[in-house]
Amino acid sequence: MSSSPVGLHRVIEPAGVLPQAAARLDAHPELWPDEIRISVERLNLDAASYRQLDEAHGHDGEAVRRAVLEIVAARGKMQNPVTGSGGMLVGVVDEVGPESPLGVKPGDRVATLVSLTLTPLRITDGLRRWDGRSEQVPAEGHAILFARSIVAKLPDDLVPELSLAVMDVCGAPALTARVVREYVDKGTKPVVSVIGGAGKSGSLALAAARRSGAARTIGIVPVEVERERLEAAGLADVVALADARDPVALATAVEESGGPADITVVCVDVPGCEHGAVLATASGGTVIFFSMATSFSAAALGAEGLAADVTMLVGNGYVPGHADYALELLRSEPGVRRLFEGRLKAEGQD
């Protein structure tokens, strides 16, 4: 069997599916000619995946650690069987196949910009340095990238943990900016509401919306402490409290803040936010879902049931130039950087 640029040769079962849909991948370290091997330094678990694991194991960090090890050992990749999501990683390029088109060399410190759900992965240290209480996971092992993978060199001016946190969500600000600019190019400066505005993807999306020409930015958060943080960051014109799982409360909060929104960006990592996002969006508006906790059937059927004429977009995590754009926002927007650094400090990674 020859190698496939999308990694079909690494699929063990079931036959014929792409690596993301596979139940098990071959994570052996020997390379095919167009692959690269990365020596893993740190994983960043998807927020929805980590929340599910943490809650399912009663906030027992040791149990969460064991669960992640079991998933990787069984599947040859990190893919939460409940949420279906994974995350991404940083590490150092160990070996590059002679036919790899990815443009990196041994010794480069890189971040993978493709999901762990399709990345062959082997953990060799038992995650002994991780207490199971944060999304970022110090780890040793190796990962394999295919010819059609995406990888970025880590910038020298940022600590790896900060770069990883930004690159984990870099698709959100890039797509938000694209959609806002499409409205502006048609002569409308949109009202943009970001649900989960104090989080990683949410804060970047707010900064991107404002920079791209939004008439008004609204940040929605669930608790007072997050409202205080987001107001201090200065990224939203209005910050409002609402439980995104309560459709009427969410729509009311957005309307009282200057809505309904022309563009609603969903950046929360809990299920059940689909109907509220649709209800808070103006007729003819756009909802962008960036959460792996989203039920897309609930979103589609909910919009139908509400007779809501909205365009719904799935943020797939990739927009050309997305990593550079997100890092530039971090560097140039002090409020974004404070929120990111505060989050890392709270997780004990400063």
Side-chain angles (χ1 to χ4, degrees):
M1 177 181 179
S2 61
S3 63
S4 159
V6 296
L8 291 174
H9 57 287
R10 290 276 182 171
V11 174
I12 296 176
E13 60 176 332
V17 303
L18 292 171
Q20 195 277 332
R24 190 157 60 103
L25 297 180
D26 177 0
H28 74 262
E30 292 77 21
L31 294 183
W32 290 78
D34 59 355
E35 295 179 330
I36 71 171
R37 186 176 62 250
I38 296 173
S39 178
V40 176
E41 294 183 336
R42 187 175 292 267
L43 311 178
N44 193 109
L45 300 183
D46 170 75
S49 175
Y50 176 75
R51 177 188 285 269
Q52 187 278 325
L53 289 167
D54 184 52
E55 293 179 349
H57 293 89
H59 311 293
D60 180 341
E62 176 60 23
V64 173
R65 186 184 68 83
R66 289 196 303 269
V68 170
L69 285 170
E70 289 169 2
I71 291 170
V72 175
R75 307 200 67 176
K77 59 178 178 174
M78 178 55 211
Q79 184 174 30
N80 184 316
V82 177
T83 65
S85 54
M88 42 96 72
L89 62 84
V90 296
V92 176
V93 176
D94 187 35
E95 184 178 351
V96 178
E99 298 175 14
S100 172
L102 297 186
V104 295
K105 63 184 186 301
D108 286 343
R109 179 169 274 110
V110 298
T112 60
L113 300 182
V114 291
S115 175
L116 292 177
T117 63
L118 54 85
T119 303
L121 174 67
R122 184 173 293 172
I123 300 298
T124 58
D125 69 339
L127 301 180
R128 55 184 171 77
R129 292 177 292 139
W130 184 47
D131 63 5
R133 299 185 181 279
S134 68
E135 297 167 11
Q136 290 208 11
V137 184
E140 295 177 14
H142 70 261
I144 305 296
L145 294 187
F146 315 126
R148 283 284 296 271
S149 298
I150 313 166
V151 66
K153 296 179 184 178
L154 293 184
D156 294 332
D157 61 320
L158 301 174
V159 298
E161 293 83 359
L162 188 55
S163 295
L164 178 58
V166 174
M167 291 183 179
D168 181 44
V169 295
C170 60
L175 183 55
T176 299
R178 174 189 285 177
V179 174
V180 171
R181 285 195 295 265
E182 289 173 353
Y183 274 74
V184 172
D185 290 345
K186 294 176 181 178
T188 300
K189 290 190 172 184
V191 174
V192 179
S193 173
V194 177
I195 304 172
K200 294 188 297 183
S201 57
S203 59
L204 285 166
L206 282 168
R210 176 177 287 174
R211 182 171 293 193
S212 301
R216 187 176 187 82
T217 55
I218 303 168
I220 303 296
V221 295
V223 293
E224 180 63 33
V225 66
E226 290 195 8
R227 177 161 69 177
E228 293 172 357
R229 289 172 183 161
L230 189 53
E231 286 178 341
L235 299 174
D237 295 310
V238 182
V239 181
L241 279 174
D243 185 338
R245 297 166 295 186
D246 184 332
V248 174
L250 177 60
T252 300
V254 172
E255 186 165 356
E256 291 177 348
S257 301
D262 299 299
I263 302 170
T264 298
V265 186
V266 183
C267 295
V268 291
D269 58 2
V270 295
C273 303
E274 301 86 2
H275 295 174
V278 171
L279 196 61
T281 305
S283 179
T286 303
V287 183
I288 308 173
F289 291 104
F290 272 108
S291 170
M292 290 296 100
T294 300
S295 166
F296 299 106
S297 59
L301 295 174
E304 177 186 299
L306 293 167
D309 177 21
V310 296
T311 298
M312 293 184 287
L313 301 178
V314 179
N316 73 353
Y318 176 68
V319 176
H322 60 334
D324 289 340
Y325 181 66
L327 290 169
E328 194 276 328
L329 285 174
L330 180 82
R331 294 185 181 103
S332 61
E333 297 284 348
V336 170
R337 186 155 189 160
R338 284 198 301 272
L339 285 172
F340 270 78
E341 290 178 338
R343 184 185 183 97
L344 291 177
K345 186 176 180 179
E347 293 178 351
Q349 295 170 16
D350 54 330

